[in-house]
Amino acid sequence: MRQASPSSYVSKNVCPIILIHGAKDKVVFIDSTDEFYKAMQAADADITYLRFHDAGHGVMGQKGSKTMPAMHHFFEKHLNTH
């Protein structure tokens, strides 16, 4: 289980990460994402977090007008696709 947990890999040296989570998610509780994000920030990792207070587990569809542009920007920045 420890190897499957993102918290086991908190480090400044990991690749850039984008997290997108809905606070009303009943499948994956937001507390774990919040804690992971804070730990990564403390490690000075390159991490982006989009936290939507009014979305649930299907946040990508529920907030697509915000999540899709954010993902495109993230990948353009980190994959040098221009």
Side-chain angles (χ1 to χ4, degrees):
M1 273 177 43
R2 183 171 211 114
Q3 288 179 318
S5 173
S7 296
S8 297
Y9 304 98
V10 171
S11 168
K12 178 181 180 157
N13 300 320
V14 298
C15 64
I17 297 171
I18 183 170
L19 303 171
I20 302 173
H21 203 133
K24 292 184 177 181
D25 192 331
K26 301 292 186 213
V27 178
V28 179
F29 298 109
I30 196 144
D31 292 346
S32 59
T33 304
D34 290 343
E35 290 173 17
F36 178 69
Y37 176 66
K38 289 175 187 172
M40 292 295 281
Q41 278 190 309
D44 200 29
D46 187 347
I47 190 159
T48 302
Y49 187 17
L50 281 75
R51 187 183 198 279
F52 294 94
H53 299 283
D54 58 344
H57 191 67
V59 66
M60 300 300 288
Q62 296 165 24
K63 297 294 182 178
S65 65
K66 294 184 181 187
T67 60
M68 294 305 288
M71 287 190 312
H72 285 272
H73 174 76
F74 178 85
F75 288 122
E76 284 178 359
K77 176 181 177 185
H78 295 291
L79 297 179
N80 297 319
T81 59
H82 347 19

